[in-house]
Amino acid sequence: MSSEQTRDHVHEGYDVTYVQEKWLPVWDKIEPFKSGRPDDARPKKYVLDMFPYPSGDLHMGHAEAYALGDVIARYWVQRGFNVMHPMGWDAFGLPAENAAIKRKIDPAPWTYENIAVQKASMRRFACSFDWDRTFNTCDPEFYRWNQWIFLQLFERGLAYRKDSKVNWCPSCQTVLANEQVVAGLCERCDTPVTKKKLNQWYFKITEYADRLLADMSQLEGKWPDKVLTMQRNWIGRSTGANVTFKIEGRAEPVTIYTTRPDTLYGATFFVVAADSDLAAELAQGTGAEKDFVTYLEGIKAASDIDRLATDRPKTGLFLQRYAINPVNGEKLQIWASDYVLADYGTGAIMAVPAHDQRDLDFARAMALPVRVVVETGEEDPNISGIATAGNGTLINSGPLNGKEKEEAIAFINAQLEREGLGKAADNYRLRDWLISRQRYWGTPIPIIHCPSCGEVPVPQDQLPLILPPAQGIDLKPKGTSPLGALTDWVSVACPNCGEPAKRDTDTMDTFVDSSWYFLRFPSSTDHSQAFNRKDIDTWLPVDQYVGGVTHAILHLLYSRFLTKVLFDMGAVGFSEPFTRLLNQGMVVMDGSAMSKSRGNMVRLSDELERHGVDAIRLSMVFAGPPEDDVDWADVSPSGSVKFLNRAWRLSGDITSVVGVEYSMGDISLRKATHKAFNDAAFAIESLRFNVAIARIMELVNAARKAIDSGCGPADPAAREAVEAIAIMLSVVAPFTAEEMWERLGHQPSVALAGWPKVEPALLVADSVIAVVQINGKIKERLEVSPTISDAELEAAALAHEGIAGALAGATIVKIITRAPKIVNIVINNE
RNA sequence: GCCCUCGUAGCCCAAUGGCAGAGGCAGAGGACUUAAAAUCCUCCAAGUGUGGGUUCGACCCCCACCGAGGGCACCA
């Protein structure tokens, strides 16, 4: 079966294939979307789609994302803005490296070939990208600045190395940032993540935790609430106090963190994280030491997955040591347990079983005492087994007795601080960003390790530190960076003292690349600096960012962090990079994500071949609100084809000439046209593109009717309406719109036609229907002037015979009038 | 367990607290056709998950519950 026969656009419509081929070269020549020409006086807009990873050709998800981004970019061009809508590639990373290993090839050509394929597909998809600004993160001209940024952070103490137990993916053979561990699994390959003690590079994002939270007020209402909530959860600030406990037989006291300092008198034991250094030290030399070692081994064998089961029974070991409660001098048993985390707070807690469920579970498992110190009115936790965490009045708590929770917290915090035993403190769930990777295809870390000078930056004039070619390197993951095998490359003279030294062999997490790439587009051809401040001031921040919700935490949090660092450096003049954010949903099939194993893959190229580019773009945009998932089983690309043909057909019906005076045209069709312009614009600016399409469909229906059985094809209003359709359609179906525009007698490109000014007089309806209610129930409908006053409308309602009849014998309590819409008469029937 | 979002015709989805239906898909009928396709026209359907509350008036605001999806999760 030939593709000609399977296509559903061959009947009574335009030849989609021909039209697509016809306009691409024309647009290449006109370059309607070139931004930043020197004489351009239009106000600016920066519209950005998250750049893709170049693994294979574009898929349905890309099609949706770029269709949506294109509506926004093209709309603002029509509105007379100088729109920068750039595109590049997030080209470093594991997929390329894994593909290279599998095929025994170099990741570089594989990557560049895929980029070429995707770029060609984007052109055919009619994306309004400004190609003059494109770059790839694997270009040395780009990653050179990645290295520069790393060194900027290094100089400021924001990039540092430390020994730590890190997330390790045994399959990828590399470390992972916290953000890349999803439910205990590697986000890339779903392998259970293990822990490994390593010395690694970190970016100090925790130093910005408070500002990352506070600046969200700038994003409220402009970013999806969902994303803001996710970021808040991820940062996870909690408010409480640090309290110092003396340890018997130890010189140094131990500080614990608690969110409930008011319950200090309810502490009945003390717990340290079993895998912490403190636990090992405390166990040393006690009778429990042997058992502790055994217990610890058992814990280490358990993976993160096991730990995720929060309902598993509590385990622990009494270390035969005691802590002293600073407020009442009580001796508390010190236990080691894995329900306390070594890397949150201080890795040690006071246990208040009456008011913390985890502590209560532990106390009951180990037969430890439970003391209620907050009277909440609920059942005694000793009996119910349910800790009472709510508000209440303090009891059994010395000076706190009788106080409410908040008051008690303030009181005890002040007392602790006075006595030097503690003070109010916040804690965060957020950890520093681990950026080292033991893999090849990434930006080399520009540091030289010198035995005498320590960590020495690669001098600026030696940047970029080029990633050595892959030829001859064994890329197979083995737990250390493949670059380490390149002895010649690794061995260098220390830039400081000249003595033999070694290069750092790790590469950077590719999220470093994407956390600032949006700053590079305005001056991507300037190879003397990461970004040109003048261009940054012109274009940034990004006015509209479009991308998937999968990046709600990782990419967006890192970008916000790095922007703040650059702001503090004085390198940029803003602290939030993305003013507005749109998270499009996923394209799914039959309710679930497309995957080869499910066998529900829909190939973009097949869909484009069958229905044409415009129909696929239209289907994506019209399917529903952009943030909702699109179920391809629910959309009708052939319905889109039908509509586009219906619109196109109108352009051949118009018999008036270009430039005809619209004001002479049929008034009701003119009103429909201007209402469509007005409403579609509002819908697009509110990111409700599906509604905008519905408005265009209405106008198509109205124009069809007017031409066939109304004012006719020669009426100026008919031309105005069809031109309006072409202009509005150009933001979503550019081929169809361009073809219509030409058939209407215009020169290309319709993309630059401009969104006409709506005439306010044409937005006023001749008459409207006012509703008359009695006690909220609709009784009558009156046709009235849209400018009727409240008093007039009320009088008209009361004068209406149906209403007068219904009111007979009743007492009018109240009349609410909202001209010209509604009159509600409240009556009292006795 | 905690937090967030969403429940409107058979389906996808619209409705600044003011007529529940804008648009589409599917379906039915008709016109045109030798016929079909295409095209054009007409028609069809829910009372807004459930129960309360606020209000002159609730799809919309508040509370509880049910259902779906998502985020975080032994974070003291």
Side-chain angles (χ1 to χ4, degrees), chain A residues 157-175:
Chain A
L158 294 170
Y160 68 98
R161 255 165 31 121
K162 71 171 176 191
D163 279 319
S164 182
K165 244 175 285 168
V166 299
N167 302 305
W168 179 262
C169 173
S171 166
C172 297
Q173 287 281 306
T174 187
V175 297

Side-chain angles (χ1 to χ4, degrees), chain A residues 377-549:
Chain A
E378 293 157 276
E379 198 183 344
D380 187 339
N382 277 298
I383 297 152
S384 67
I386 296 164
T388 55
N391 289 327
T393 310
L394 275 289
I395 54 172
N396 300 326
S397 295
L400 300 181
N401 285 343
K403 296 189 194 306
E404 294 299 307
K405 176 178 166 183
E406 291 308 318
E407 189 191 356
I409 290 175
F411 184 92
I412 196 76
N413 281 353
Q415 182 188 313
L416 289 168
E417 182 148 16
R418 218 167 33 242
E419 295 171 4
L421 295 169
K423 63 174 176 182
D426 289 343
N427 236 311
Y428 300 88
R429 199 187 153 281
L430 183 70
R431 305 290 195 275
D432 276 342
W433 174 14
L434 199 175
I435 61 126
S436 322
R437 295 293 181 273
Q438 288 71 49
R439 296 298 296 257
Y440 167 76
W441 190 232
T443 304
I445 292 176
I447 289 286
I448 292 164
H449 300 281
C450 170
S452 37
C453 306
E455 293 154 353
V456 182
V458 172
Q460 296 270 348
D461 60 6
Q462 290 174 28
L463 297 183
L465 171 57
I466 301 278
L467 181 68
Q471 280 84 1
I473 305 180
D474 179 14
L475 298 182
K476 270 203 211 70
K478 48 204 160 293
T480 56
S481 172
L483 294 177
L486 297 178
T487 324
D488 289 351
W489 183 81
V490 171
S491 307
V492 287
C494 170
N496 224 6
C497 66
E499 293 299 306
K502 288 189 186 317
R503 291 194 188 281
D504 199 296
T505 56
D506 284 352
T507 53
M508 288 186 221
D509 181 3
T510 57
F511 277 102
V512 177
D513 317 3
S514 55
S515 63
W516 72 278
Y517 78 107
F518 47 90
L519 300 175
R520 181 82 187 138
F521 283 119
S523 47
S524 61
T525 54
D526 182 346
H527 297 301
S528 67
Q529 50 190 330
F531 43 84
N532 173 315
R533 179 62 192 264
K534 192 169 150 281
D535 291 333
I536 290 285
D537 289 345
T538 302
W539 291 103
L540 273 285
V542 174
D543 294 286
Q544 180 68 60
Y545 200 26
V546 180
V549 74

Side-chain angles (χ1 to χ4, degrees), chain A residues 667-738:
Chain A
I667 190 75
S668 68
L669 182 56
R670 293 206 71 206
K671 283 188 173 185
T673 300
H674 283 253
K675 185 167 160 46
F677 265 129
N678 187 66
D679 294 358
F682 180 71
I684 291 172
E685 288 179 36
S686 321
L687 307 179
R688 284 149 49 233
F689 310 120
N690 53 326
V691 178
I693 304 289
R695 294 290 98 86
I696 304 175
M697 287 174 168
E698 279 179 87
L699 185 57
V700 167
N701 292 341
R704 180 78 268 155
K705 192 169 260 177
I707 289 171
D708 288 349
S709 55
C711 64
D715 193 287
R719 169 167 283 275
E720 185 184 31
V722 179
E723 288 184 345
I725 292 163
I727 291 169
M728 290 190 285
L729 219 43
S730 77
V731 303
V732 56
F735 292 107
T736 308
E738 198 72 88

Side-chain angles (χ1 to χ4, degrees), chain A residues 80-100:
Chain A
F81 283 78
N82 181 13
V83 174
M84 181 168 70
H85 187 210
M87 181 46 62
W89 276 270
D90 190 13
F92 270 142
L94 279 185
E97 193 165 340
N98 290 338

